[in-house]
Amino acid sequence: MSETDQQSSCAGHASRRGAVEIRGLTKSFGAVSVLKGVDLRIAPGEFVTILGPSGCGKSTLMRIVAGLERQDGGEILIDGGSVDEMRPSARDIAMVFQSYALYPHLTVRENIAVPLRMRELSAVQRLPGARLLSASARRAVREADRAVRDVAALLKIEPLLDRKPGQLSGGQKQRVALGRAMVRKPRVFLMDEPLSNLDAELRVHMRAEIAQLHRSLGVTFIYVTHDQAEAMTMSDRVVVMMNGMPLQIAPPEEIYDDPADLAVARFVGSPRINVLDGRVQGGGIAAAGVVLPLATGLADGTSVQVAIRPNRATLDPAVAAPRVSGRLVHRENLGSDLFLYVATEGSAEPLIVRQDPGIAGRLAVGEAAEVGLPVEHVYVFDAEGRRIALLASDARRRAHG
């Protein structure tokens, strides 16, 4: 396919809208409530990832949008119109599954063409030889063949068109599954854990390919995963789901840097965020033997939790910060990164510090260590895990820290 043809194909996708609105969606299986009033608006052409652990309801939400499950309550609209009563095939949505769902007896060419044949040809016309009897059927077949070639060129799988799925690698199968979805030129792409069956190196490669594909097509993508790396690297916005409800909906940078809930802070970020139990004391927060000058306006004695990312904690004595005393219990040298685990009194888990090897490279396991907690990078949460807003004076100091 020429560059002009590819641009024309992409423009055909981009000209379609694909605004998705989910209003108050609920779903239960027996006594188990899986979705508890989900609200979400997705703009045309946006890449939104639904991120969460197994059992949080993300795949159920995806299947309801696709029409494969029926919700108990709420409404789904695409481009302003309700699709609740529409069959899956009528919603103008294409779904890519974790299992690829390719037909093993068909070639790649035939697998990609399946949606077009099902849409354009009658049951009789799909019978072997019957297409030769109808001019309209022959025309539909020619158009389908051209669409398959265009998609194959875009995905760079033309040499695979005459192979069968059993002759393909995992990455090649994933491209074929994407091609079968793309050939329909849907308003919305749904992807449910599409990379989970691939090895780590290929997942990284396919993440880049899917992100590039989205930019090329300009079509709405809704992507489901439990893998934070996929969510953070590909998405315009991330929906972090826990227990059937979105806890935060925001761009990836905001999810990481400004978590609205402790569960979000714990789930996103590797290695894990450091969390210490604290208590409001005299206008600050006492935690792990130090008092952090963070004013919450809460009464003295109120239990809170303070958290800081490993890349924000420090062992550098030149950084002015309250310091927690401890002892180094483990080192992880990953070449470009050095992670130090420091056990402290009053904390069940050691604090993790990502440190420049030049600063802490000679610190040995068993030696004393002082972990600095720069207060401008400390998050405060209440006992239920909700983010606590600091008083204005602290907010200004943090903003200019």
Side-chain angles (χ1 to χ4, degrees):
M1 183 168 59
S2 69
E3 182 178 352
T4 301
D5 291 336
Q6 288 193 25
Q7 291 173 347
S8 176
S9 176
C10 293
H13 279 277
S15 64
R16 307 177 71 86
R17 289 184 56 79
V20 179
E21 185 173 357
I22 298 169
R23 298 177 178 172
L25 212 64
T26 60
K27 178 66 178 180
S28 296
F29 293 102
V32 179
S33 179
V34 179
L35 298 176
K36 304 172 183 177
V38 176
D39 292 298
L40 177 62
R41 290 186 176 185
I42 301 172
E46 192 175 17
F47 194 130
V48 170
T49 295
I50 302 171
L51 174 68
S54 297
C56 73
K58 57 187 186 297
S59 290
T60 299
L61 176 60
M62 179 77 86
R63 290 176 61 82
I64 291 173
V65 173
L68 303 177
E69 293 277 359
R70 177 74 177 184
Q71 69 265 36
D72 297 329
E75 187 177 20
I76 299 169
L77 299 93
I78 298 180
D79 293 331
S82 175
V83 296
D84 293 331
E85 303 304 323
M86 290 184 180
R87 293 177 289 108
S89 59
R91 296 188 180 197
D92 204 6
I93 287 174
M95 190 163 183
V96 179
F97 296 93
Q98 175 181 343
S99 62
Y100 314 132
L102 302 178
Y103 296 102
H105 62 290
L106 300 181
T107 64
V108 167
R109 187 191 310 274
E110 292 166 336
N111 265 285
I112 295 176
V114 163
L116 298 180
R117 293 186 61 196
M118 296 296 292
R119 185 175 68 190
E120 303 296 339
L121 301 176
S122 68
V124 172
Q125 290 172 330
R126 292 196 297 269
L127 293 174
R131 297 192 299 271
L132 302 177
L133 304 178
S134 164
S136 62
R138 291 196 300 271
R139 183 171 59 254
V141 170
R142 286 195 302 271
E143 292 174 355
D145 287 343
R146 183 174 61 186
V148 168
R149 289 195 303 272
D150 289 349
V151 166
L154 194 62
L155 294 172
K156 299 180 175 59
I157 56 173
E158 299 128 298
L160 309 179
L161 285 174
D162 294 319
R163 297 187 191 178
K164 292 190 175 177
Q167 301 171 294
L168 306 179
S169 67
Q172 290 169 337
K173 290 178 183 177
Q174 186 57 264
R175 288 186 183 89
V176 175
L178 287 170
R180 187 175 57 188
M182 289 169 56
V183 78
R184 294 174 49 192
K185 297 186 178 179
R187 289 186 289 180
V188 181
F189 281 92
L190 305 181
M191 298 188 179
D192 189 4
E193 304 269 12
L195 306 184
S196 60
N197 289 334
L198 305 180
D199 61 51
E201 183 177 356
L202 189 52
R203 281 202 302 273
V204 172
H205 179 71
M206 288 302 299
R207 285 204 312 255
E209 289 209 354
I210 290 175
Q212 178 59 44
L213 180 63
H214 172 256
R215 287 191 292 270
S216 298
L217 298 179
V219 181
T220 305
F221 276 39
I222 307 177
Y223 191 101
V224 161
T225 185
H226 65 276
D227 186 327
Q228 60 173 291
E230 294 177 17
M232 302 299 280
T233 57
M234 295 192 294
S235 314
D236 296 317
R237 286 189 300 155
V238 177
V239 180
V240 182
M241 281 193 68
M242 301 276 178
N243 300 316
M245 282 292 293
L247 292 186
Q248 188 169 1
I249 304 171
E253 301 81 7
E254 184 176 334
I255 293 288
Y256 183 84
D257 292 328
D258 196 17
D261 191 281
L262 183 56
V264 174
R266 287 184 186 274
F267 192 75
V268 175
S270 181
R272 62 172 173 78
I273 196 169
N274 298 301
V275 181
L276 294 168
D277 292 330
R279 191 170 297 275
V280 176
Q281 176 182 308
I285 298 174
V290 299
V291 177
L292 304 174
L294 296 169
T296 62
L298 300 175
D300 278 9
T302 302
S303 294
V304 296
Q305 298 174 90
V306 295
I308 188 169
R309 298 279 183 198
N311 61 309
R312 298 300 192 179
T314 182
L315 296 180
D316 187 350
V319 176
R323 296 193 173 269
V324 176
S325 299
R327 192 167 299 277
L328 184 66
V329 294
H330 182 59
R331 294 169 55 103
E332 284 184 348
N333 193 336
L334 303 181
S336 59
D337 285 316
L338 175 63
F339 293 105
L340 303 173
Y341 292 68
V342 179
T344 62
E345 186 176 347
S347 177
E349 296 181 320
L351 296 178
I352 306 174
V353 182
R354 190 180 78 181
Q355 194 65 68
D356 186 325
I359 294 174
R362 291 185 297 276
L363 188 65
V365 171
E367 290 185 359
E370 298 282 326
V371 179
L373 307 179
V375 291
E376 65 269 21
H377 299 303
V378 172
Y379 309 114
V380 183
F381 302 90
D382 65 18
E384 284 71 45
R386 295 183 295 263
R387 181 81 173 272
I388 295 175
L390 300 176
L391 295 185
S393 59
D394 286 284
R396 286 195 297 270
R397 176 184 47 73
R398 288 164 64 92
H400 294 89

PDB file of all heavy atoms in Angstrom, residues 215-231:
ATOM      1  N   ARG A 215      -1.992   6.145  17.276  1.00  0.00           N
ATOM      2  CA  ARG A 215      -1.703   7.464  16.722  1.00  0.00           C
ATOM      3  C   ARG A 215      -2.014   7.516  15.229  1.00  0.00           C
ATOM      4  O   ARG A 215      -2.480   8.536  14.710  1.00  0.00           O
ATOM      5  CB  ARG A 215      -0.237   7.830  16.969  1.00  0.00           C
ATOM      6  CG  ARG A 215       0.072   8.177  18.426  1.00  0.00           C
ATOM      7  CD  ARG A 215       1.461   8.778  18.570  1.00  0.00           C
ATOM      8  NE  ARG A 215       2.507   7.805  18.287  1.00  0.00           N
ATOM      9  CZ  ARG A 215       3.056   7.029  19.209  1.00  0.00           C
ATOM     10  NH1 ARG A 215       2.659   7.095  20.472  1.00  0.00           N
ATOM     11  NH2 ARG A 215       4.020   6.169  18.889  1.00  0.00           N
ATOM     12  N   SER A 216      -1.759   6.418  14.518  1.00  0.00           N
ATOM     13  CA  SER A 216      -2.003   6.380  13.077  1.00  0.00           C
ATOM     14  C   SER A 216      -3.490   6.394  12.750  1.00  0.00           C
ATOM     15  O   SER A 216      -3.927   7.080  11.820  1.00  0.00           O
ATOM     16  CB  SER A 216      -1.357   5.133  12.464  1.00  0.00           C
ATOM     17  OG  SER A 216       0.046   5.139  12.643  1.00  0.00           O
ATOM     18  N   LEU A 217      -4.270   5.634  13.512  1.00  0.00           N
ATOM     19  CA  LEU A 217      -5.685   5.472  13.198  1.00  0.00           C
ATOM     20  C   LEU A 217      -6.541   6.600  13.754  1.00  0.00           C
ATOM     21  O   LEU A 217      -7.557   6.966  13.163  1.00  0.00           O
ATOM     22  CB  LEU A 217      -6.201   4.136  13.741  1.00  0.00           C
ATOM     23  CG  LEU A 217      -5.562   2.869  13.170  1.00  0.00           C
ATOM     24  CD1 LEU A 217      -6.161   1.640  13.834  1.00  0.00           C
ATOM     25  CD2 LEU A 217      -5.753   2.796  11.664  1.00  0.00           C
ATOM     26  N   GLY A 218      -6.155   7.118  14.923  1.00  0.00           N
ATOM     27  CA  GLY A 218      -6.960   8.164  15.542  1.00  0.00           C
ATOM     28  C   GLY A 218      -8.314   7.686  16.018  1.00  0.00           C
ATOM     29  O   GLY A 218      -9.256   8.472  16.143  1.00  0.00           O
ATOM     30  N   VAL A 219      -8.439   6.391  16.308  1.00  0.00           N
ATOM     31  CA  VAL A 219      -9.704   5.797  16.734  1.00  0.00           C
ATOM     32  C   VAL A 219      -9.681   5.621  18.254  1.00  0.00           C
ATOM     33  O   VAL A 219      -8.618   5.485  18.859  1.00  0.00           O
ATOM     34  CB  VAL A 219      -9.929   4.439  16.035  1.00  0.00           C
ATOM     35  CG1 VAL A 219     -11.253   3.813  16.436  1.00  0.00           C
ATOM     36  CG2 VAL A 219      -9.880   4.622  14.522  1.00  0.00           C
ATOM     37  N   THR A 220     -10.843   5.610  18.865  1.00  0.00           N
ATOM     38  CA  THR A 220     -10.962   5.405  20.302  1.00  0.00           C
ATOM     39  C   THR A 220     -10.488   4.008  20.681  1.00  0.00           C
ATOM     40  O   THR A 220     -10.948   3.014  20.111  1.00  0.00           O
ATOM     41  CB  THR A 220     -12.415   5.597  20.751  1.00  0.00           C
ATOM     42  OG1 THR A 220     -12.863   6.885  20.336  1.00  0.00           O
ATOM     43  CG2 THR A 220     -12.548   5.465  22.256  1.00  0.00           C
ATOM     44  N   PHE A 221      -9.571   3.932  21.629  1.00  0.00           N
ATOM     45  CA  PHE A 221      -9.085   2.655  22.159  1.00  0.00           C
ATOM     46  C   PHE A 221      -9.466   2.579  23.636  1.00  0.00           C
ATOM     47  O   PHE A 221      -9.184   3.504  24.406  1.00  0.00           O
ATOM     48  CB  PHE A 221      -7.557   2.554  22.058  1.00  0.00           C
ATOM     49  CG  PHE A 221      -7.022   2.075  20.736  1.00  0.00           C
ATOM     50  CD1 PHE A 221      -7.595   2.478  19.550  1.00  0.00           C
ATOM     51  CD2 PHE A 221      -5.919   1.234  20.684  1.00  0.00           C
ATOM     52  CE1 PHE A 221      -7.095   2.045  18.328  1.00  0.00           C
ATOM     53  CE2 PHE A 221      -5.406   0.798  19.476  1.00  0.00           C
ATOM     54  CZ  PHE A 221      -5.989   1.207  18.289  1.00  0.00           C
ATOM     55  N   ILE A 222     -10.080   1.473  24.025  1.00  0.00           N
ATOM     56  CA  ILE A 222     -10.298   1.165  25.439  1.00  0.00           C
ATOM     57  C   ILE A 222      -9.539  -0.127  25.727  1.00  0.00           C
ATOM     58  O   ILE A 222      -9.818  -1.157  25.118  1.00  0.00           O
ATOM     59  CB  ILE A 222     -11.784   1.012  25.788  1.00  0.00           C
ATOM     60  CG1 ILE A 222     -12.575   2.237  25.333  1.00  0.00           C
ATOM     61  CG2 ILE A 222     -11.956   0.785  27.288  1.00  0.00           C
ATOM     62  CD1 ILE A 222     -14.068   2.131  25.580  1.00  0.00           C
ATOM     63  N   TYR A 223      -8.601  -0.053  26.623  1.00  0.00           N
ATOM     64  CA  TYR A 223      -7.622  -1.123  26.828  1.00  0.00           C
ATOM     65  C   TYR A 223      -7.710  -1.589  28.280  1.00  0.00           C
ATOM     66  O   TYR A 223      -7.709  -0.770  29.203  1.00  0.00           O
ATOM     67  CB  TYR A 223      -6.237  -0.565  26.519  1.00  0.00           C
ATOM     68  CG  TYR A 223      -5.107  -1.557  26.416  1.00  0.00           C
ATOM     69  CD1 TYR A 223      -4.644  -1.970  25.170  1.00  0.00           C
ATOM     70  CD2 TYR A 223      -4.468  -2.058  27.540  1.00  0.00           C
ATOM     71  CE1 TYR A 223      -3.583  -2.857  25.048  1.00  0.00           C
ATOM     72  CE2 TYR A 223      -3.411  -2.944  27.436  1.00  0.00           C
ATOM     73  CZ  TYR A 223      -2.967  -3.339  26.196  1.00  0.00           C
ATOM     74  OH  TYR A 223      -1.923  -4.217  26.087  1.00  0.00           O
ATOM     75  N   VAL A 224      -7.798  -2.883  28.487  1.00  0.00           N
ATOM     76  CA  VAL A 224      -7.886  -3.448  29.834  1.00  0.00           C
ATOM     77  C   VAL A 224      -6.605  -4.203  30.157  1.00  0.00           C
ATOM     78  O   VAL A 224      -6.121  -4.999  29.338  1.00  0.00           O
ATOM     79  CB  VAL A 224      -9.099  -4.401  29.946  1.00  0.00           C
ATOM     80  CG1 VAL A 224      -8.953  -5.329  31.149  1.00  0.00           C
ATOM     81  CG2 VAL A 224     -10.385  -3.612  30.072  1.00  0.00           C
ATOM     82  N   THR A 225      -6.039  -3.943  31.325  1.00  0.00           N
ATOM     83  CA  THR A 225      -4.830  -4.665  31.726  1.00  0.00           C
ATOM     84  C   THR A 225      -4.655  -4.605  33.237  1.00  0.00           C
ATOM     85  O   THR A 225      -5.200  -3.721  33.914  1.00  0.00           O
ATOM     86  CB  THR A 225      -3.587  -4.071  31.035  1.00  0.00           C
ATOM     87  OG1 THR A 225      -2.437  -4.850  31.351  1.00  0.00           O
ATOM     88  CG2 THR A 225      -3.339  -2.639  31.496  1.00  0.00           C
ATOM     89  N   HIS A 226      -3.870  -5.546  33.762  1.00  0.00           N
ATOM     90  CA  HIS A 226      -3.430  -5.479  35.164  1.00  0.00           C
ATOM     91  C   HIS A 226      -1.972  -5.011  35.223  1.00  0.00           C
ATOM     92  O   HIS A 226      -1.412  -4.867  36.304  1.00  0.00           O
ATOM     93  CB  HIS A 226      -3.545  -6.856  35.830  1.00  0.00           C
ATOM     94  CG  HIS A 226      -2.615  -7.873  35.232  1.00  0.00           C
ATOM     95  ND1 HIS A 226      -2.925  -8.602  34.099  1.00  0.00           N
ATOM     96  CD2 HIS A 226      -1.365  -8.250  35.589  1.00  0.00           C
ATOM     97  CE1 HIS A 226      -1.903  -9.395  33.805  1.00  0.00           C
ATOM     98  NE2 HIS A 226      -0.939  -9.198  34.689  1.00  0.00           N
ATOM     99  N   ASP A 227      -1.368  -4.786  34.045  1.00  0.00           N
ATOM    100  CA  ASP A 227       0.048  -4.442  33.936  1.00  0.00           C
ATOM    101  C   ASP A 227       0.202  -2.917  33.905  1.00  0.00           C
ATOM    102  O   ASP A 227      -0.173  -2.260  32.937  1.00  0.00           O
ATOM    103  CB  ASP A 227       0.626  -5.063  32.660  1.00  0.00           C
ATOM    104  CG  ASP A 227       2.134  -4.889  32.534  1.00  0.00           C
ATOM    105  OD1 ASP A 227       2.651  -3.859  33.003  1.00  0.00           O
ATOM    106  OD2 ASP A 227       2.782  -5.773  31.960  1.00  0.00           O
ATOM    107  N   GLN A 228       0.762  -2.360  34.968  1.00  0.00           N
ATOM    108  CA  GLN A 228       0.870  -0.904  35.043  1.00  0.00           C
ATOM    109  C   GLN A 228       1.782  -0.332  33.968  1.00  0.00           C
ATOM    110  O   GLN A 228       1.568   0.801  33.513  1.00  0.00           O
ATOM    111  CB  GLN A 228       1.361  -0.484  36.425  1.00  0.00           C
ATOM    112  CG  GLN A 228       2.716  -1.032  36.796  1.00  0.00           C
ATOM    113  CD  GLN A 228       3.227  -0.439  38.095  1.00  0.00           C
ATOM    114  OE1 GLN A 228       3.561   0.731  38.154  1.00  0.00           O
ATOM    115  NE2 GLN A 228       3.264  -1.237  39.136  1.00  0.00           N
ATOM    116  N   ALA A 229       2.787  -1.100  33.530  1.00  0.00           N
ATOM    117  CA  ALA A 229       3.685  -0.595  32.486  1.00  0.00           C
ATOM    118  C   ALA A 229       2.915  -0.343  31.191  1.00  0.00           C
ATOM    119  O   ALA A 229       3.142   0.656  30.499  1.00  0.00           O
ATOM    120  CB  ALA A 229       4.828  -1.571  32.246  1.00  0.00           C
ATOM    121  N   GLU A 230       1.984  -1.235  30.848  1.00  0.00           N
ATOM    122  CA  GLU A 230       1.169  -1.032  29.659  1.00  0.00           C
ATOM    123  C   GLU A 230       0.307   0.215  29.809  1.00  0.00           C
ATOM    124  O   GLU A 230       0.209   1.050  28.893  1.00  0.00           O
ATOM    125  CB  GLU A 230       0.284  -2.254  29.409  1.00  0.00           C
ATOM    126  CG  GLU A 230       1.061  -3.512  29.050  1.00  0.00           C
ATOM    127  CD  GLU A 230       0.162  -4.722  28.869  1.00  0.00           C
ATOM    128  OE1 GLU A 230      -1.066  -4.547  28.699  1.00  0.00           O
ATOM    129  OE2 GLU A 230       0.680  -5.852  28.914  1.00  0.00           O
ATOM    130  N   ALA A 231      -0.320   0.361  30.969  1.00  0.00           N
ATOM    131  CA  ALA A 231      -1.198   1.510  31.190  1.00  0.00           C
ATOM    132  C   ALA A 231      -0.433   2.823  31.151  1.00  0.00           C
ATOM    133  O   ALA A 231      -0.873   3.797  30.539  1.00  0.00           O
ATOM    134  CB  ALA A 231      -1.919   1.358  32.531  1.00  0.00           C
TER     135      ALA A 231
END
